[in-house]
Amino acid sequence: MFLMPSKYEPCGLNQIYSLKYGTVPIVRATGGLDDTIDPWDTRTGKGTGFKFTDYSGEALLLTIKEAFEGFSRSIVLAHAHAQRHEQRFLLERIG
């Protein structure tokens, strides 16, 4: 994960580099950071990172926790989906 809790960020290229290299950005919703990062939605599995609005350590920590929880759920769901697919494949081979 890439943390960028900027108070002010007119453009911000580091979050773009983060996305390019597969690192999940956690940014404060300001300036270019707010414009370029779409919030992660655990229900849909869509989004490019995590954002928080308050400029505080507490807000940053809560967002980091949200990121860990969101991705741990996503990993579990992806694993469950892969196992269902594998099981279906095995049943098709048997039947």
Side-chain angles (χ1 to χ4, degrees):
M1 294 187 182
F2 173 72
L3 303 177
M4 195 161 180
S6 300
K7 188 171 189 174
Y8 174 75
E9 188 66 51
C11 177
L13 293 175
N14 289 315
Q15 79 279 8
I16 302 296
Y17 299 141
S18 171
L19 293 171
K20 177 180 178 182
Y21 293 106
T23 305
V24 177
I26 298 175
V27 303
R28 182 167 170 268
T30 184
L33 300 174
D34 194 26
D35 295 339
T36 57
I37 301 301
D38 295 322
W40 177 258
D41 185 342
T42 54
R43 290 175 294 128
T44 63
K46 294 183 179 182
T48 56
F50 294 84
K51 294 196 263 190
F52 60 99
T53 54
D54 294 335
Y55 187 67
S56 69
E58 182 180 354
L60 173 61
L61 184 58
L62 288 173
T63 307
I64 291 169
K65 287 180 180 179
E66 177 188 339
F68 276 111
E69 290 171 5
F71 275 94
S72 65
R73 276 191 227 119
S74 296
I75 290 168
V76 167
L77 290 174
H79 181 69
H81 176 73
Q83 284 188 342
R84 282 194 310 271
H85 179 71
E86 182 179 327
Q87 184 178 20
R88 187 176 67 224
F89 175 74
L90 289 173
L91 290 174
E92 287 172 359
R93 288 184 72 189
I94 293 170

